[in-house]
Amino acid sequence: MTESSIKKLASTLLDAITDKDPVVQEQVCSALCSLGEVRPVETLRTCEEYLRQHDKLAHPYRAAVLRAMERVLSSRASELDKDTASTIILLASSEMTKTKDLVWDWQQAASGVLVAVGRQFISKVMEELLRKLHPGTLPHCAVLHTLASLSVANAFGVVPFLPSVLSSLLPVLGMAKQDTVRVAFCSALQRFSEGALEYLANLDRAPDPTVRKDAFATDIFSAYDVLFHQWLQSREAKLRLAVVEALGPMSHLLPSERLEEQLPKLLPGILALYKKHSETFYLSKSLGQILEAAVSVGSRTLETQLDALLAALHSQVGGGHQWAGMNKMTWSLICTCCPVACSLPDRLLAFLLPRLDTSNERTRVGTLQVVRHVINSAGECLHASPAAAPGRVQDGDCPARAPPQPADLTATPC
């Protein structure tokens, strides 16, 4: 088919996307994607022209076109020329920020286009997003979301831009008053930190192997100060969990002396949240990452915090929770605590042994399971090397490999 034929067919399909029947709309999108698989550049250019020329088109239909473009780009972005990529980036950026109100389906669709293009043309996408960060003004939530998503999709491409991104975002962090905006900032900081840790853990494949943690440490600490000392005190549970999720990977990028200085406040602050949240997955994940960071810098603070850590851990795995229902992250937390506990065996036994005298059978069973794990893994814990990517608690890192099988709680433990 000639270029004009492709354009005419794509235009006909786009005219049908406003059909009131959702089934027809889905079929139109599928047809556009199929056409884009064969002739991606012509199809994407026609979609871009259509949205630009139909400025009054309602946002649900605009979102549908953008989602079709994203699906094409996810497999064909490498076939774009620079001019087409630039045109699509400008379109998606405009669509994403056209309204300040939250219209998530539309904005997420535009964000998806930018992320898809960013896998191949990261510099052009980042330059456009940086232009959306204005001094003294809070960024659009969709811009934060896109920056976060790009950090996951293309860490090697985004991390070199992080100093510029952070220098633009940190001065306005204190201006965020709405919980939705604060959650967006937390998500972005979490993903930035994860991307930086992935980059640092794979310097042999990184485009700039000279990048070091120091490049982010000061800015990350400034963000940590706001998140921990201000936002974590929020009454909104969703915001508290977003802060906790961010603090885990951020702790690995803090300057060593700052991390040691903050641990006496940070660890009790995280532990206190176990009483406020019934779902503890993200708390355990973050706590595990913070402990991992503390162990990696040889923290001396952990000794003073050990009893509180063990008490919180024991409440999760032996204080009434059935082992059959124990989530993998809680087990990973046991594994992460192991190097801390194994370095202080007397303190560990002094904590655990009295709990074998309790009349609560579940507590005794849980205590025995913890003792069994520590004994089985003590040798490996003391000589364990850090995980491949710091800040990421992995199920396979534990010498025990997997949570124990559920105990028979009807039997009396020996």
Side-chain angles (χ1 to χ4, degrees):
M1 296 178 68
T2 64
E3 181 177 344
S4 59
S5 299
I6 293 290
K7 184 175 181 179
K8 186 175 181 180
L9 177 55
S11 297
T12 301
L13 289 169
L14 288 164
D15 285 336
I17 206 162
T18 56
D19 193 285
K20 294 181 180 180
D21 188 342
V23 176
V24 174
Q25 291 180 25
E26 183 57 35
Q27 289 175 338
V28 169
C29 288
S30 295
L32 277 172
C33 292
S34 298
L35 188 61
E37 285 291 319
V38 180
R39 302 290 287 271
V41 174
E42 294 91 331
T43 303
L44 290 167
R45 278 194 171 277
T46 304
C47 289
E48 184 273 333
E49 289 177 11
Y50 184 86
L51 289 175
R52 185 160 40 81
Q53 294 170 2
H54 294 76
D55 195 51
K56 303 296 184 182
L57 186 68
H59 72 77
Y61 306 123
R62 306 186 80 83
V65 176
L66 290 164
R67 283 193 293 270
M69 293 176 70
E70 180 190 358
R71 286 168 61 183
V72 173
L73 287 163
S74 64
S75 59
R76 292 289 184 267
S78 60
E79 298 179 31
L80 299 186
D81 57 84
K82 291 183 179 180
D83 288 342
T84 301
S86 297
T87 300
I88 292 172
I89 290 167
L90 290 174
L91 168 78
S93 176
S94 172
E95 294 285 321
M96 186 175 70
T97 57
K98 191 164 287 188
T99 175
K100 292 183 179 180
D101 298 329
L102 189 63
V103 187
W104 191 234
D105 63 329
W106 180 19
Q107 291 157 352
Q108 188 174 35
S111 174
V113 170
L114 288 171
V115 173
V117 179
R119 289 188 173 94
Q120 293 291 328
F121 298 90
I122 189 62
S123 295
K124 289 182 177 296
V125 172
M126 290 301 297
E127 287 166 6
E128 174 60 23
L129 291 174
L130 284 170
R131 279 195 284 269
K132 296 290 184 181
L133 303 179
H134 304 295
T137 305
L138 283 172
H140 198 293
C141 279
V143 172
L144 290 174
H145 173 76
T146 305
L147 287 168
S149 298
L150 280 167
S151 297
V152 176
N154 189 352
F156 283 170
V158 171
V159 168
F161 289 91
L162 275 188
S164 297
V165 172
L166 291 171
S167 66
S168 297
L169 293 181
L170 292 180
V172 299
L173 203 58
M175 296 171 57
K177 304 301 181 185
Q178 294 182 327
D179 286 343
T180 52
V181 179
R182 290 181 172 186
V183 167
F185 267 110
C186 289
S187 177
L189 288 165
Q190 176 193 349
R191 300 306 184 190
F192 295 162
S193 300
E194 290 173 348
L197 291 172
E198 180 180 342
Y199 192 102
L200 293 171
N202 296 279
L203 285 175
D204 56 322
R205 297 189 291 112
D208 181 4
T210 65
V211 172
R212 294 292 180 265
K213 185 176 79 169
D214 296 347
F216 322 107
T218 301
D219 286 337
I220 290 295
F221 180 73
S222 297
Y224 163 89
D225 192 45
V226 174
L227 267 62
F228 180 71
H229 292 105
Q230 298 179 34
W231 295 1
L232 191 61
Q233 318 309 318
S234 171
R235 296 180 180 179
E236 177 56 48
K238 184 176 180 181
L239 175 57
R240 288 200 303 266
L241 287 177
V243 171
V244 166
E245 280 192 83
L247 291 178
M250 286 172 68
S251 65
H252 280 268
L253 296 176
L254 295 178
S256 299
E257 67 281 3
R258 292 291 195 178
L259 176 61
E260 182 72 0
E261 170 191 294
Q262 292 298 314
L263 283 174
K265 295 175 284 186
L266 176 58
L267 291 175
I270 300 295
L271 293 176
L273 295 177
Y274 277 103
K275 298 177 181 179
K276 298 182 179 181
H277 294 267
S278 56
E279 174 51 61
T280 59
F281 177 90
Y282 296 112
L283 296 178
S284 295
K285 179 181 179 182
S286 180
L287 181 57
Q289 292 170 322
I290 292 167
L291 290 174
E292 211 177 54
V295 170
S296 71
V297 299
S299 171
R300 297 182 178 181
T301 301
L302 292 178
E303 182 175 353
T304 63
Q305 300 291 326
L306 184 60
D307 288 343
L309 285 167
L310 290 172
L313 173 61
H314 192 273
S315 72
Q316 290 299 300
V317 300
H321 293 257
Q322 291 194 26
W323 283 84
M326 185 177 69
N327 65 49
K328 289 184 178 181
M329 191 50 64
T330 301
W331 184 246
S332 292
L333 180 55
I334 296 177
C335 300
T336 307
C337 283
C338 191
V340 183
C342 287
S343 65
L344 300 164
D346 293 343
R347 294 277 299 279
L348 176 63
L349 291 175
F351 175 87
L352 292 174
L353 292 181
R355 284 160 177 77
L356 294 175
D357 292 331
T358 180
S359 59
N360 186 310
E361 197 163 24
R362 292 184 188 277
T363 298
R364 295 204 309 272
V365 171
T367 301
L368 286 170
Q369 295 281 18
V370 174
V371 171
R372 185 183 75 174
H373 169 74
V374 172
I375 291 173
N376 288 342
S377 60
E380 293 190 45
C381 280
L382 291 172
H383 300 93
S385 59
R392 299 189 178 189
V393 179
Q394 301 171 13
D395 299 332
D397 292 341
C398 180
R401 297 299 174 192
Q405 294 302 309
D408 181 0
L409 298 181
T410 62
T412 302
C414 59

